[in-house]
């Protein structure tokens, strides 16, 4: 079973690019989770981890450009949330490639939990501003 499933009720922002990118992000996270939990080769897990993190960075930058372009009032708090997750990801990525950390069930649940909170609470909040 997938770690995380996109549904419009839980994750829909009514902003086209964001919903599409969130679906891609969920697919990449699910793939990483399946590789890690399924005992795939470490090289395959590492490649998927790098791909997921690169996509997260790209997605956050896209949202940030759109929020700034529309003068969204809550941009600073939203940006701070992004910076915090990128920090966690960068730390994991560095430790994984140094052989000091693994992608575990706990790591999957941590990222899932972050998305479960962030998209409904922060991303849905820019819906009106980005649709103006
Ligand atoms: Fe879709 Fe603010 O991350």
């Amino acid at each position: 079973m997938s770690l995380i499933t996109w549904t419009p009720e839980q994750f829909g922002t009514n902003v086209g690019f964001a919903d599409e990118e969130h679906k891609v992000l969920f697919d990449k996270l699910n793939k990483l989770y399946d590789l890690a939990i399924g005992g795939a080769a470490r090289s395959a897990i590492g490649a998927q981890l790098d791909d997921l993190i690169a996509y997260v960075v790209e997605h956050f930058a896209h949202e940030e450009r759109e929020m700034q372009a529309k003068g969204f009032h809550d941009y600073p708090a939203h940006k701070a949330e992004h910076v915090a997750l990128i920090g966690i990801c960068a730390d994991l990525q560095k430790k994984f490639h140094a052989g000091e950390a693994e992608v575990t069930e706990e790591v999957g649940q941590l990222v899932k939990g972050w998305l479960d909170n962030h998209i409904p609470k922060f991303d849905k909040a820019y819906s009106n501003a980005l649709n103006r």
Side-chain angles (χ1 to χ4, degrees):
M1 204 179 125
S2 296
L3 175 67
I4 191 165
T5 303
W6 192 94
T7 62
E9 295 76 21
Q10 192 176 1
F11 296 111
T13 62
N14 199 31
V15 174
F17 86 84
D19 288 350
E20 291 315 306
E21 290 180 12
H22 290 149
K23 289 175 195 170
V24 173
L25 202 160
F26 282 22
D27 284 347
K28 290 180 183 292
L29 174 60
N30 284 330
K31 187 174 171 196
L32 173 63
Y33 181 79
D34 288 345
L35 288 169
I37 300 307
R42 212 168 182 284
S43 57
I45 296 170
Q48 186 62 23
L49 178 66
D50 292 347
D51 181 65
L52 170 64
I53 293 175
Y55 193 79
V56 167
V57 169
E58 198 179 297
H59 166 65
F60 285 174
H62 192 182
E63 276 188 0
E64 288 163 16
R65 283 195 306 275
E66 298 292 329
M67 285 190 277
Q68 284 187 298
K70 300 284 183 170
F72 179 54
H73 72 283
D74 204 31
Y75 171 78
H78 198 142
K79 165 87 179 174
E81 276 262 311
H82 287 174
V83 169
L85 184 70
I86 289 173
I88 292 168
C89 288
D91 187 53
L92 172 66
Q93 192 174 25
K94 192 174 145 202
K95 286 184 173 153
F96 180 90
H97 290 297
E100 296 165 357
E102 301 301 329
V103 178
T104 59
E105 171 73 32
E106 194 180 15
V107 167
Q109 293 298 337
L110 184 144
V111 178
K112 176 186 187 300
W114 193 91
L115 292 166
D116 280 344
N117 177 67
H118 181 82
I119 298 176
K121 190 170 165 188
F122 284 86
D123 290 356
K124 284 189 181 185
Y126 61 47
S127 184
N128 287 341
L130 266 58
N131 280 312
R132 273 206 305 267

